[in-house]
Amino acid sequence: MSDYKKYYGGKILRNSLIKTIPKMCLGAVLFARIIHRKENTHYLFCPPTLGDSILAFSYLSEFKRQRNISHVTVVCTPNYVQRLCNYFPDAVDDVFCMKKWKLGALREFVGSKLGQYYSCLYIDRMTFVFLTCNAHLRTLWDNPVISYPLYAKAMLYKISLASQPKRPKIPEADISDYISKFKLKKGRTVLLNPKANTVCCDVLKLLEATVMELTARGYTVVTLTENDLERPIRGTQAIPCNLEEAFSLVSYGGILIGLRSGFMDVMVYANCKIITIDDKDYGFKSFFSLERLGVNPDCHTITYDGNNDAAIREIIQILM
């Protein structure tokens, strides 16, 4: 058995090195190219995640003002994060898109000892979300004292703790067709968002039971989806829409219920009530708390432990 363990461990190490060394080399090359791409700009490197990026953008204007930075280039993947840049025209001056695997290689290099050394040489010209700080990520996320706003101000941008977040300028979408087609009620429509990348608890049965309870109480309940292929929660119709349309729908309907996700970090700026469902085993509740963002006073979090009846009672109590 000891020989097997030794062989198995060595095999993992070799495979890890085979994957990591080329990735680190690519990251070093990309780092050198980007830093010399444009001299008179400050680079903000964002992860390919919606919530982390929009929260970083919300303090970017204050970062530029307080640190006397005239030009910021956001480096991101060509997806929703690129789209978020349009919501902060006063903060984002330029956008440089990279494929996800290239951005991953770049972050791998910067997160290494060698990468940290070279990035320190250009510390006045670049900021990496979740890498520009003096603590391990687990230390940040598992610490109940630290929230994302505190991290952004004190550790990421190093600006005044009194700084306030900038609201995104999300364009209003025409949702008149949705309102008539799905018979949406202003202020009495519950929009469900059952998807998330991090919080992975199974809430299907909970949401199905919640739909029955809310429908009986006179609410219209629909499921937000990204395309026509996604199936809605049973008892609801699917509304395939983009981010701007979802924002307008949530503002019109008035109530959003869903798993904790980056999508919620965008919707928190809407004029609505938000009920977030967290897994009881999810360890980063405090750091990523919507309530602690200080943006929407009508945010509520439910910790789901599998007890549908208790969770539904809590939802109804929040809505009443």
Side-chain angles (χ1 to χ4, degrees):
M1 181 63 71
S2 59
D3 291 339
Y4 173 75
K5 284 185 176 180
K6 183 178 180 181
Y7 166 77
Y8 188 69
K11 186 176 181 180
I12 290 178
L13 179 59
R14 287 197 301 272
N15 288 343
S16 177
L17 289 175
I18 289 172
K19 293 179 180 178
T20 301
I21 292 176
K23 195 173 183 180
M24 289 277 291
C25 293
L26 173 61
V29 172
L30 292 171
F31 180 89
R33 286 183 177 178
I34 290 176
I35 200 63
H36 296 297
R37 174 178 171 266
K38 184 184 293 185
E39 295 293 333
N40 299 319
T41 191
H42 187 97
Y43 288 101
L44 175 65
F45 295 84
C46 292
T49 45
L50 193 64
D52 300 328
S53 298
I54 193 169
L55 293 175
F57 290 158
S58 65
Y59 289 96
L60 188 54
S61 290
E62 280 299 302
F63 171 65
K64 291 177 67 176
R65 185 181 68 83
Q66 295 183 34
R67 299 284 294 274
N68 197 27
I69 294 172
S70 60
H71 194 281
V72 167
T73 298
V74 171
V75 181
C76 63
T77 51
N79 54 11
Y80 277 130
V81 177
Q82 180 187 9
R83 196 164 192 163
L84 291 179
C85 295
N86 298 326
Y87 304 160
F88 296 88
D90 298 332
V92 179
D93 301 291
D94 192 14
V95 181
F96 180 64
C97 290
M98 299 178 65
K99 292 182 179 179
K100 187 176 180 180
W101 63 274
K102 288 186 177 181
L103 186 59
L106 181 63
R107 293 178 67 84
E108 182 93 13
F109 170 71
V110 174
S112 68
K113 293 293 184 182
L114 182 63
Q116 288 175 11
Y117 169 77
Y118 280 105
S119 61
C120 283
L121 299 179
Y122 300 97
I123 195 169
D124 293 331
R125 292 194 52 209
M126 58 173 51
T127 300
F128 282 80
V129 176
F130 287 141
L131 294 182
T132 302
C133 62
N134 296 318
H136 193 277
L137 289 184
R138 303 293 301 198
T139 304
L140 286 178
W141 294 344
D142 290 335
N143 192 323
V145 177
I146 303 176
S147 62
Y148 195 106
L150 180 59
Y151 157 74
K153 291 182 282 189
M155 305 178 76
L156 179 65
Y157 293 134
K158 298 176 179 61
I159 56 178
S160 168
L161 295 183
S163 303
Q164 294 299 310
K166 183 85 170 182
R167 299 182 70 90
K169 297 179 180 179
I170 302 178
E172 186 175 348
D174 182 5
I175 58 172
S176 56
D177 290 343
Y178 289 122
I179 295 173
S180 58
K181 179 179 179 180
F182 297 99
K183 298 180 173 57
L184 306 182
K185 303 173 185 175
K186 186 173 179 60
R188 293 282 293 179
T189 296
V190 178
L191 299 103
L192 303 178
N193 182 59
K195 295 194 312 176
N197 293 324
T198 306
V199 179
C200 301
C201 60
D202 185 4
V203 295
L204 183 61
K205 296 297 182 183
L206 168 62
L207 291 181
E208 288 177 352
T210 302
V211 169
M212 295 176 60
E213 183 70 30
L214 295 179
T215 302
R217 292 172 178 267
Y219 290 94
T220 298
V221 188
V222 295
T223 302
L224 295 173
T225 64
E226 290 187 46
N227 52 60
D228 295 318
L229 300 178
E230 292 183 20
R231 297 179 61 182
I233 298 298
R234 184 184 302 174
T236 72
Q237 290 181 287
I239 299 185
C241 58
N242 60 34
L243 203 56
E244 290 85 3
E245 291 169 335
F247 188 84
S248 294
L249 285 166
V250 168
S251 299
Y252 181 86
I255 305 166
L256 174 64
I257 301 177
L259 284 174
R260 180 67 179 93
S261 65
F263 177 80
M264 294 294 201
D265 289 307
V266 180
M267 296 302 120
V268 75
Y269 292 97
N271 183 23
C272 68
K273 184 187 296 289
I274 296 181
I275 301 176
T276 299
I277 303 172
D278 259 344
D279 184 354
K280 65 180 180 63
D281 297 322
Y282 181 57
F284 313 137
K285 296 182 181 66
S286 181
F287 185 86
F288 291 107
S289 167
L290 289 182
E291 291 92 325
R292 297 181 73 182
L293 295 181
V295 173
N296 186 337
D298 212 354
C299 290
H300 310 268
T301 299
I302 292 176
T303 300
Y304 181 58
D305 60 1
N307 189 332
N308 288 348
D309 291 338
I312 292 174
R313 284 197 300 270
E314 195 169 351
I315 291 172
I316 296 301
Q317 185 177 5
I318 292 171
L319 294 180
M320 292 297 101

